[in-house]
Amino acid sequence: MTRMCAVGDNVVDWYPQEQLVFPGGSAANAAVFARRLGLEASYIGVLGSDEQAEFIASSLAAEGVDISHSQWHDEPSSRTDVIVDQSGNRTFTDFLPPVSRIRLDAATRSHLQGAAWIHTGHSSFTEPLLEALADIAPVSFDFSKKSLEYAERLLPHIRYAAFSREEASVDDAVNLLRELVARGVKYAVVTRGGDGAIAVTPEGIFTQPATPIEVRDTIGAGDAFQTCFIANIVAGRTPAVALQAASRFAADVCSYRGAFGHGQRTALTK
């Protein structure tokens, strides 16, 4: 069975208006979505020493994600505060980052060997690890809204790049994709919210409209799109098929609360 590994962030996503928390984080989400797509998946990241860390870990384990190589530290869990508007669009209003950083020790490197790809991103604080990760397996990186200037030094180590540009025109998105290819990226996607997505691959440039859905919460949709697109490419499907599958999968994620569910009511404070 195909196996992917996610290396990076986990958080509790706190919805203060409703006193709800969900497990999340780009890397953790990607591992869960890979499992839901039928792949083996492991998650490697820093887990804290509080109830929220146990909540995140148990949610990942319930989804079948291997967390045996995660790194536990005596510190608070990372957290994002989230506001969701009436259209289901989410806004992050605060972020408590982890104190510790991920270590690539011998056991971790050995575990990563043989992965079809390793996923990480800008919110994972893994930039110093990218060269080492790319020596082990192909790397996918979530740049979200980050600039090309931020990305430039990282791109030589990345096979799959994803950017979010909700306000970008088609021409702007295509120009960004061409810049990425010029810097050595093999597969790149620009997601444009309700305007769909555009991808560049060795086969050319492809567009994909957004799948219509009644949106409840957009958190995690980008992670779902990226994971499904890469999983289909790794499986040997065409870019057009991969984009269509990714659009449907991301739309489904928008139809429920939280990135992958498992919500709990809690009265967290600042």
Side-chain angles (χ1 to χ4, degrees), residues 33-114:
F33 294 141
R35 283 293 300 133
R36 291 184 176 181
L37 289 164
L39 283 65
E40 290 185 8
S42 62
Y43 168 73
I44 297 170
V46 172
L47 289 163
S49 55
D50 51 20
E51 291 182 5
Q52 286 74 45
E54 296 290 346
F55 169 53
I56 294 165
S58 63
S59 299
L60 292 171
E63 292 284 341
V65 174
D66 178 2
I67 60 171
S68 62
H69 289 270
S70 284
Q71 300 163 14
W72 296 78
H73 290 263
D74 185 12
E75 62 187 67
S77 292
S78 185
R79 187 178 94 190
T80 57
D81 295 357
V82 184
I83 299 295
V84 176
D85 66 22
Q86 292 183 342
S87 299
N89 293 310
R90 53 89 180 122
T91 301
F92 298 119
T93 61
D94 202 4
F95 174 54
L96 176 67
V99 176
S100 303
R101 298 291 180 259
I102 297 166
R103 303 183 312 275
L104 283 185
D105 56 23
T108 302
R109 291 170 185 266
S110 177
H111 176 73
L112 292 170
Q113 292 286 345

Side-chain angles (χ1 to χ4, degrees), residues 110-190:
S110 177
H111 176 73
L112 292 170
Q113 292 286 345
W117 83 94
I118 298 169
H119 177 76
T120 190
H122 76 98
S123 57
S124 292
F125 302 99
T126 51
E127 291 92 340
L129 305 179
L130 282 184
E131 184 173 2
L133 292 174
D135 285 341
I136 298 171
V139 172
S140 68
F141 198 95
D142 175 18
F143 289 96
S144 187
K145 301 179 187 300
K146 288 288 191 179
S147 67
L148 184 60
E149 288 72 24
Y150 163 85
E152 195 161 17
R153 65 187 175 86
L154 308 178
L155 293 173
H157 310 301
I158 294 165
R159 179 175 295 185
Y160 308 98
F163 285 76
S164 174
R165 293 291 190 271
E166 293 182 8
E167 305 301 322
S169 68
V170 171
D171 287 344
D172 288 341
V174 169
N175 287 337
L176 174 58
L177 291 168
R178 285 175 171 154
E179 291 286 349
L180 300 175
V181 170
R183 288 161 171 79
V185 175
K186 192 170 183 180
Y187 296 89
V189 174
V190 174

Side-chain angles (χ1 to χ4, degrees), residues 214-235:
E214 183 177 347
V215 176
R216 296 189 65 200
D217 188 349
T218 59
I219 197 166
D223 304 320
F225 192 102
Q226 296 166 44
T227 305
C228 188
F229 176 74
I230 296 168
N232 276 270
I233 292 295
V234 168

